[in-house]
Amino acid sequence: MRKIIAGNFKMNMATAAERKWYVSLFRREFKNKKFGEVDIILCPPSVCLEYFAGNIKNKKVFFGAQNVFMEREGAYTGEISALMVKESGGSCAIVGHSERRRLFSETNETANLKIKTILKNQMIPIYCFGESRSERDANLTKKVITEQIQKGLTGVSSIGVERVIFAYEPIWSVGTDVIPAANEIMEVKILVRKILTELYSSKAAQSVKILYGGSVNSRTVGRVCVDPAMDGALVGRESLNPREFLKIAEIIDKN
Ligand code: PGA
């Protein structure tokens, strides 16, 4: 089954020199690896999406934004639309990342509008969900995730849902080097498939890709992606180094 490894650069790669370094190292490392059934998605800051998409050309490598606004165009100062991302060479967009929820007041409702806009543009949403440390401690993981999935998908058709990539990102694991146990991740994967079966069908539930994200590196990837049989990973910090990022991709691909 095809695996997906997505890199979320966040607000990094600020200088032209860094971007140039990344592209040349990525191209070199990529050429040296023999990838099988794997798609790589790079999500740089939107201002340099076109640069990355224009300089890394491979049918296994796709590009995406870290966020989009829900409208097509108009008086929305500071925002970018899915169409703009598409016109810059992107085919995906991350939605509902915990940093957007925490710092920019994103909710399940805004994530839902964004997912629908992205699908309408024939693009792929990468929908992030996951519980906080306090929710986990209060035994609310299941409840929180169920709500995130249900609300995030309101009004999304059964054809649409099959194009959504789901990314389980426990907030307490993002950027912390603390990771859940494989069985905890597996439980969430089973929960998501159960919710999707109830909302749609078992066919839809089985066909969607569910990634894990949160402190993934070449040492943790076995435990958080391979052991719980995830469909891939959403990688933050380690995606900033093409050598490490492609090493993670290789481990996922080979297992
Ligand atoms: P991290 O970030 O890999 O640096 O923990 C993951 C993410 O935010 O998607």
Side-chain angles (χ1 to χ4, degrees):
M1 190 153 100
R2 219 170 173 76
K3 303 276 177 56
I4 295 166
I5 295 93
N8 174 6
F9 290 6
K10 307 194 180 181
M11 201 176 76
N12 292 297
M13 298 278 155
T15 67
E18 282 174 275
R19 298 194 281 272
K20 209 169 152 203
W21 164 82
Y22 192 98
V23 165
S24 72
L25 187 55
F26 184 97
R27 280 170 26 182
R28 198 164 63 228
E29 289 287 315
F30 194 87
K31 225 176 17 201
N32 292 335
K33 303 218 182 279
K34 296 258 170 302
F35 285 113
E37 294 281 288
V38 72
D39 286 338
I40 291 174
I41 305 172
L42 297 178
C43 301
S46 294
V47 285
C48 49
L49 186 62
E50 205 162 352
Y51 173 81
F52 281 93
N55 285 287
I56 300 176
K57 293 206 174 291
N58 187 290
K59 59 182 193 323
K60 288 192 163 95
V61 186
F62 300 85
F63 299 89
Q66 298 168 19
N67 174 43
V68 291
F69 193 59
M70 44 286 243
E71 300 293 338
R72 186 181 190 273
E73 59 196 342
Y76 305 103
T77 302
E79 294 296 324
I80 57 157
S81 70
L83 179 61
M84 289 170 181
V85 171
K86 195 168 164 180
E87 289 288 311
S88 303
S91 53
C92 328
I94 298 172
V95 179
H97 189 279
S98 56
E99 284 151 18
R100 302 251 6 134
R101 292 179 191 257
R102 179 165 51 88
L103 301 167
F104 304 99
S105 312
E106 296 217 349
T107 61
N108 294 329
E109 286 73 19
T110 55
N112 174 247
L113 296 173
K114 292 179 181 195
I115 288 173
K116 287 192 279 202
T117 300
I118 293 163
L119 289 171
K120 208 160 110 192
N121 280 277
Q122 310 302 327
M123 294 164 68
I124 295 174
I126 303 172
Y127 182 39
C128 299
F129 63 95
E131 80 288 0
S132 67
R133 164 71 65 192
S134 60
E135 288 162 345
R136 180 179 197 243
D137 292 346
N139 240 329
L140 290 171
T141 301
K142 259 188 168 178
K143 182 178 178 285
V144 168
I145 291 177
T146 303
E147 214 168 277
Q148 287 170 332
I149 302 294
Q150 284 176 343
K151 290 192 174 163
L153 294 177
T154 304
V156 173
S157 71
S158 54
I159 295 169
V161 78
E162 291 191 30
R163 305 216 341 263
V164 177
I165 297 173
F166 293 85
Y168 172 47
E169 297 213 313
I171 299 170
W172 50 273
S173 177
V174 172
T176 60
D177 286 327
V178 183
I179 53 167
N183 68 306
E184 291 177 280
I185 300 173
M186 211 176 301
E187 272 170 29
V188 171
K189 190 179 78 174
I190 293 166
L191 172 67
V192 173
R193 297 222 194 273
K194 181 172 165 276
I195 300 166
L196 295 177
T197 302
E198 283 160 13
L199 289 177
Y200 297 94
S201 63
S202 65
K203 177 185 163 278
Q206 293 308 317
S207 67
V208 301
K209 303 280 184 207
I210 308 176
L211 317 183
Y212 170 80
S215 299
V216 180
N217 57 47
S218 59
R219 296 167 308 285
T220 58
V221 65
R223 276 173 288 160
V224 293
C225 291
V226 178
D227 292 352
M230 301 306 277
D231 300 312
L234 177 53
V235 184
R237 285 158 295 164
E238 301 296 333
S239 70
L240 296 171
N241 180 340
R243 194 168 282 146
E244 179 69 8
F245 183 56
L246 291 176
K247 202 161 142 188
I248 296 167
E250 199 174 29
I251 296 169
I252 292 176
D253 185 35
K254 300 265 180 296
N255 284 280

